[in-house]
Amino acid sequence: QKGGFPHFMLKEIYEQPESLRNTITPRIVNSLPDFTEDGIDDEVFKNCENITVIACGTAMHAGIVGKAMIESELRIPVNVEIASEFRYKEPLINEKTLVIVTSQSGETIDTLEAMRLAKRCGSKVISIVNVKGSTIARESDYVLYTHAGPEIAVASTKAYSVQMAAMYLIGCRLGLVKGIYSEEQAKEFISKLLGTIPVIEETLLQADEVKTVANYIKMAPDAFFIGRGMDYTLSLEGALKLKEISYVHAEAYAAGELKHGTIALITENVPVIALATQPAVYEKMVSNIREVKARGAYVILISMGDEVTDTQICDKHIRIPKQDSLFTVFAAAVILQLIAYYTSDAKGLDVDKPRNLAKSVTVE
Ligand code: M6R
């Protein structure tokens, strides 16, 4: 059942190229994103003035990545709401809001109730769901199924990647329908999205390198994930994954925020996982890394390609293949998942069934 892997989580991490292929390729017609088979009417995209994403946990983190991508590419405002908060608010949404509900299981009670509320407010809802026929899928106006296959490990990995891919597909279709993207631009976007699949395959070859990092992190009581822009959105997921299965307390910070308080916690040997895959803010990241290094942090740098980096700034350097910075989240996510996985395994913990957690949260 585990296909030769010691845990479902590792198997699912390695299944990501296939899951992405299964989610993306059926929605590509003539090299453009197309939701005809899903029955999603372009009217929802034409009418939308803003977007609200509603979800919990990792699914919500996929929404935060989607927000960063859609806002920077399309200049359409995206609001990401924690479902358990949203459902008890008087929401600021209406019929001009496209609501995207994201859930692997399709049964998370807070997400379901938040979706019901969004529908009562007159918004159209597209759900991004992995489990066929689940309640959220049935009750949403439209559903974009992710084809990740069953996810058994409590820690979500492949479901996260395909949720991000679904957000990218929606963003691209939205851009096309609204005339923000030309056909040429949309085709280029899709080709880059498909290009993340071989990039992930290449990234997975670094598993042994990541294992050595995990052997360090396992000894730490706390760890910090820092990044800017798309990297910050991803660091939120990196921290959640590490906490969830390795019980190492972890926090994610926008790198520029460190000096507003958190840097007080950076002392000798504290692991700092620094994501620096965004060329536009690379130099800014380097100066944030120098700040933590100067306080004795053990820096694990994750960056892209072959930029020349002063070896003094980090203790460990993991590189992901060179690509468009809008798409690095896919490969970088794999590194973060492997860090969490190997840390948990090195501590001898029950990787697939972390304490106090259930795969599907159907109670409040
Ligand atoms: O089934 P859902 O995607 O709605 O679940 C949402 C969260 O409970 C889930 O993503 C959770 O955060 C994961 N265990 C994280 O790995």
Side-chain angles (χ1 to χ4, degrees):
Q1 229 186 346
K2 291 180 194 153
F5 288 93
H7 300 99
F8 282 109
M9 183 179 174
L10 192 60
K11 173 175 178 269
E12 288 160 6
I13 289 173
Y14 275 83
E15 280 171 351
Q16 288 177 109
E18 191 194 343
S19 302
L20 282 166
R21 216 171 278 123
N22 292 342
T23 296
I24 301 167
T25 47
R27 275 97 187 200
I28 310 296
V29 178
N30 298 328
S31 312
L32 289 170
D34 187 305
F35 299 138
T36 313
E37 288 293 306
D38 302 288
I40 302 179
D41 194 340
D42 274 344
E43 284 304 304
V44 289
F45 298 125
K46 277 190 196 130
N47 291 339
C48 131
E49 287 178 358
N50 53 66
I51 297 172
T52 289
V53 180
I54 306 172
C56 298
T58 289
M60 192 258 300
H61 289 160
I64 293 176
V65 172
K67 168 187 166 77
M69 183 275 292
I70 291 173
E71 289 186 340
S72 73
E73 284 292 288
L74 310 181
R75 317 293 302 151
I76 294 173
V78 183
N79 182 28
V80 181
E81 296 274 355
I82 298 169
S84 56
E85 290 292 313
F86 181 88
R87 62 178 288 202
Y88 297 111
K89 292 210 285 207
E90 281 179 40
L92 287 166
I93 58 170
N94 56 35
E95 54 291 335
K96 294 285 178 198
T97 308
L98 169 61
V99 169
I100 302 175
V101 166
T102 307
S103 174
Q104 188 285 130
S105 62
E107 301 294 349
T108 302
I109 190 71
D110 284 324
T111 310
L112 174 62
E113 288 300 338
M115 180 184 82
R116 288 174 173 157
L117 174 59
K119 288 183 78 177
R120 289 198 294 276
C121 294
S123 300
K124 284 281 177 238
V125 177
I126 299 180
S127 64
I128 297 175
V129 172
N130 197 42
V131 177
K132 308 270 150 21
S134 53
T135 313
I136 290 174
R138 281 189 278 108
E139 291 194 20
S140 54
D141 296 298
Y142 304 99
V143 50
L144 198 67
Y145 278 116
T146 50
H147 300 302
E151 193 179 62
I152 311 291
V154 165
S156 188
T157 54
K158 60 178 181 173
Y160 174 67
S161 299
V162 293
Q163 283 160 356
M164 291 195 293
M167 294 292 307
Y168 275 58
L169 284 170
I170 289 175
C172 191
R173 183 76 206 165
L174 180 62
L176 194 61
V177 170
K178 282 197 171 288
I180 300 166
Y181 280 159
S182 65
E183 284 207 356
E184 272 330 293
Q185 287 171 313
K187 280 182 183 170
E188 199 187 325
F189 184 104
I190 291 299
S191 129
K192 287 176 182 167
L193 183 60
L194 285 167
T196 61
I197 298 169
V199 164
I200 289 180
E201 279 159 347
E202 208 180 318
T203 303
L204 284 166
L205 300 175
Q206 298 191 67
D208 284 344
E209 188 72 9
V210 177
K211 218 178 203 172
T212 64
V213 168
N215 277 325
Y216 184 87
I217 299 176
K218 76 169 185 196
M219 298 178 298
D222 308 287
F224 295 88
F225 289 75
I226 60 171
R228 286 174 178 258
M230 298 295 287
D231 283 336
Y232 168 58
T233 67
L234 191 61
S235 64
L236 297 166
E237 175 60 7
L240 173 61
K241 211 94 299 176
L242 190 67
K243 279 182 276 205
E244 185 179 19
I245 57 167
S246 78
Y247 315 149
V248 172
H249 168 245
E251 298 291 343
Y253 277 92
E257 269 293 289
L258 279 177
K259 55 180 140 331
H260 299 287
T262 314
I263 202 152
L265 294 172
I266 307 291
T267 52
E268 216 48 48
N269 303 327
V270 170
V272 173
I273 297 100
L275 289 147
T277 73
Q278 302 294 300
V281 286
Y282 185 76
E283 287 309 322
K284 297 279 166 207
M285 269 307 292
V286 169
S287 71
N288 295 134
I289 292 168
R290 286 190 204 285
E291 285 159 8
V292 294
K293 196 80 199 98
R295 273 119 189 132
Y298 181 90
V299 175
I300 298 142
L301 171 65
I302 301 171
S303 75
M304 176 169 66
D306 47 12
E307 72 278 291
V308 183
T309 303
D310 174 1
T311 47
Q312 303 290 308
I313 67 166
C314 64
D315 298 275
K316 205 88 194 134
H317 193 174
I318 298 172
R319 287 187 172 86
I320 58 165
K322 213 166 174 56
Q323 59 194 300
D324 186 316
S325 57
L326 196 64
F327 296 84
T328 54
V329 282
F330 293 91
V334 170
I335 300 288
L336 300 183
Q337 293 163 354
L338 287 170
I339 288 178
Y341 171 77
Y342 284 122
T343 306
S344 173
D345 193 40
K347 289 178 85 169
L349 300 172
D350 189 348
V351 179
D352 287 335
K353 289 201 191 87
R355 68 185 176 213
N356 309 339
L357 287 165
K359 182 66 184 161
S360 181
V361 185
T362 53
V363 290
E364 260 196 78

Coordinates of all heavy atoms in Angstrom, one line a residue, residues 55-60 102-108 111 136 154-157 163 237 240-241 244 357-361, ligand 1:
A55 N -10.8 28.8 3.6 CA -10.2 27.4 3.8 C -9.6 27.3 5.2 O -9.6 28.3 6.0 CB -9.2 27.1 2.8
C56 N -9.1 26.2 5.5 CA -8.4 26.0 6.8 C -7.0 25.4 6.6 O -6.8 24.6 5.6 CB -9.2 24.9 7.7 SG -10.8 25.4 8.1
G57 N -6.2 25.6 7.5 CA -4.8 24.9 7.5 C -4.1 25.1 6.2 O -3.9 26.1 5.6
T58 N -3.6 23.9 5.8 CA -2.8 23.9 4.6 C -3.6 24.4 3.4 O -3.0 25.1 2.5 CB -2.3 22.4 4.3 OG1 -1.3 22.2 5.4 CG2 -1.7 22.2 3.0
A59 N -4.8 24.0 3.3 CA -5.7 24.5 2.2 C -5.7 26.0 2.1 O -5.7 26.7 1.1 CB -7.1 23.9 2.3
M60 N -5.7 26.6 3.3 CA -5.8 28.1 3.4 C -4.4 28.7 3.0 O -4.4 29.7 2.3 CB -6.1 28.5 4.9 CG -6.4 29.9 5.1 SD -5.1 30.8 5.8 CE -4.8 29.9 7.4
T102 N -11.4 26.0 -0.6 CA -10.4 25.0 -0.9 C -10.4 24.0 0.2 O -10.3 24.4 1.4 CB -9.0 25.7 -1.0 OG1 -9.2 26.7 -1.9 CG2 -8.0 24.7 -1.4
S103 N -10.5 22.7 -0.1 CA -10.5 21.7 0.9 C -10.1 20.3 0.3 O -10.8 19.9 -0.7 CB -11.9 21.6 1.5 OG -12.0 20.5 2.4
Q104 N -9.2 19.7 0.8 CA -8.8 18.4 0.4 C -9.9 17.4 0.5 O -10.4 16.7 -0.4 CB -7.5 17.9 1.1 CG -6.9 16.6 0.6 CD -7.6 15.3 1.0 OE1 -7.8 14.5 0.1 NE2 -8.0 15.1 2.2
S105 N -10.4 17.3 1.8 CA -11.4 16.3 2.1 C -12.8 16.7 1.6 O -13.6 15.8 1.3 CB -11.5 16.1 3.6 OG -11.9 17.4 4.2
G106 N -13.1 18.0 1.5 CA -14.4 18.4 1.1 C -15.4 18.3 2.3 O -16.6 18.4 2.1
E107 N -14.9 18.0 3.5 CA -15.8 17.8 4.6 C -15.5 18.6 5.8 O -16.1 18.5 6.9 CB -15.8 16.3 5.0 CG -16.2 15.3 4.0 CD -17.6 15.4 3.5 OE1 -18.4 16.1 4.2 OE2 -18.0 14.7 2.5
T108 N -14.5 19.5 5.8 CA -14.1 20.3 6.9 C -15.3 21.2 7.3 O -15.8 22.0 6.5 CB -12.9 21.1 6.6 OG1 -11.8 20.2 6.2 CG2 -12.4 21.9 7.8
T111 N -15.1 25.0 7.0 CA -15.1 25.4 5.6 C -16.5 25.3 5.0 O -16.9 26.2 4.2 CB -14.0 24.6 4.8 OG1 -12.8 24.6 5.6 CG2 -13.8 25.1 3.4
I136 N -18.7 19.5 0.4 CA -18.4 20.8 -0.2 C -18.5 20.8 -1.7 O -19.0 21.7 -2.4 CB -16.9 21.3 0.3 CG1 -17.0 21.6 1.8 CG2 -16.4 22.5 -0.5 CD1 -15.7 21.9 2.4
V154 N -1.8 12.3 7.5 CA -2.5 13.5 8.1 C -1.9 14.8 7.5 O -2.7 15.7 7.2 CB -2.5 13.4 9.6 CG1 -2.9 14.8 10.2 CG2 -3.4 12.3 10.1
A155 N -0.6 14.8 7.4 CA 0.0 16.0 6.9 C -0.2 16.1 5.4 O 0.1 15.2 4.7 CB 1.5 16.0 7.2
S156 N -0.8 17.2 5.0 CA -1.1 17.4 3.6 C 0.1 17.8 2.8 O 0.8 18.7 3.2 CB -2.2 18.5 3.5 OG -2.7 18.6 2.2
T157 N 0.3 17.1 1.7 CA 1.5 17.4 0.9 C 1.1 17.6 -0.6 O 1.0 18.7 -1.1 CB 2.6 16.4 1.0 OG1 2.1 15.1 0.7 CG2 3.3 16.4 2.3
Q163 N -3.7 22.0 -5.0 CA -4.5 23.2 -4.7 C -3.9 24.5 -5.3 O -4.5 25.3 -5.8 CB -4.7 23.3 -3.2 CG -5.7 22.3 -2.6 CD -5.6 22.1 -1.1 OE1 -4.7 22.7 -0.5 NE2 -6.5 21.3 -0.6
E237 N 3.4 27.6 5.3 CA 3.2 26.2 5.2 C 4.4 25.4 5.7 O 4.2 24.3 6.3 CB 2.9 25.8 3.7 CG 2.7 24.4 3.4 CD 1.6 23.7 4.1 OE1 0.8 24.4 4.8 OE2 1.5 22.5 4.0
L240 N 4.0 25.3 9.4 CA 2.9 24.4 9.9 C 3.3 22.9 9.8 O 3.1 22.1 10.7 CB 1.6 24.7 9.0 CG 0.5 23.7 9.3 CD1 0.0 23.8 10.7 CD2 -0.7 24.0 8.3
K241 N 3.9 22.6 8.6 CA 4.3 21.2 8.4 C 5.2 20.7 9.5 O 5.1 19.6 10.0 CB 4.9 21.1 7.0 CG 4.7 19.8 6.3 CD 3.5 19.8 5.4 CE 2.2 20.0 6.2 NZ 1.0 20.1 5.3
E244 N 3.4 20.3 12.9 CA 2.4 19.3 12.8 C 3.0 17.9 13.0 O 2.4 17.1 13.8 CB 1.7 19.4 11.5 CG 0.5 18.4 11.3 CD -0.1 18.6 9.9 OE1 0.5 19.2 9.0 OE2 -1.3 18.1 9.8
L357 N -4.3 14.9 16.1 CA -4.8 15.4 14.8 C -5.6 14.3 14.1 O -5.3 13.1 14.2 CB -3.6 15.8 13.9 CG -3.0 17.1 14.3 CD1 -1.6 17.3 13.6 CD2 -3.9 18.3 14.0
A358 N -6.6 14.7 13.3 CA -7.3 13.8 12.5 C -7.2 14.3 11.0 O -6.9 15.5 10.8 CB -8.8 13.9 12.9
K359 N -7.3 13.4 10.1 CA -7.2 13.8 8.7 C -8.3 14.7 8.3 O -8.0 15.7 7.5 CB -7.2 12.5 7.8 CG -7.0 12.8 6.3 CD -5.6 13.3 6.0 CE -5.4 13.7 4.6 NZ -4.3 14.6 4.4
S360 N -9.5 14.5 8.8 CA -10.6 15.3 8.3 C -11.3 15.9 9.6 O -11.6 15.1 10.5 CB -11.5 14.5 7.5 OG -12.6 15.3 7.1
V361 N -11.4 17.2 9.6 CA -11.9 17.8 10.9 C -13.4 18.2 10.7 O -13.8 19.2 10.2 CB -11.1 19.1 11.2 CG1 -11.5 19.7 12.6 CG2 -9.6 18.8 11.3
Ligands
M6R1 O1 -9.6 18.6 4.2 P1 -9.2 20.1 4.3 O2 -8.3 20.5 3.2 O3 -10.4 21.0 4.4 O4 -8.4 20.2 5.6 C1 -7.9 21.4 6.1 C2 -6.9 21.3 7.2 O5 -7.4 20.6 8.3 C3 -5.7 20.5 6.7 O6 -5.1 21.2 5.6 C4 -4.6 20.5 7.8 O7 -4.1 21.8 8.1 C5 -3.5 19.5 7.4 N1 -3.4 18.4 8.3 C6 -2.2 20.2 7.3 O8 -1.2 19.3 6.9

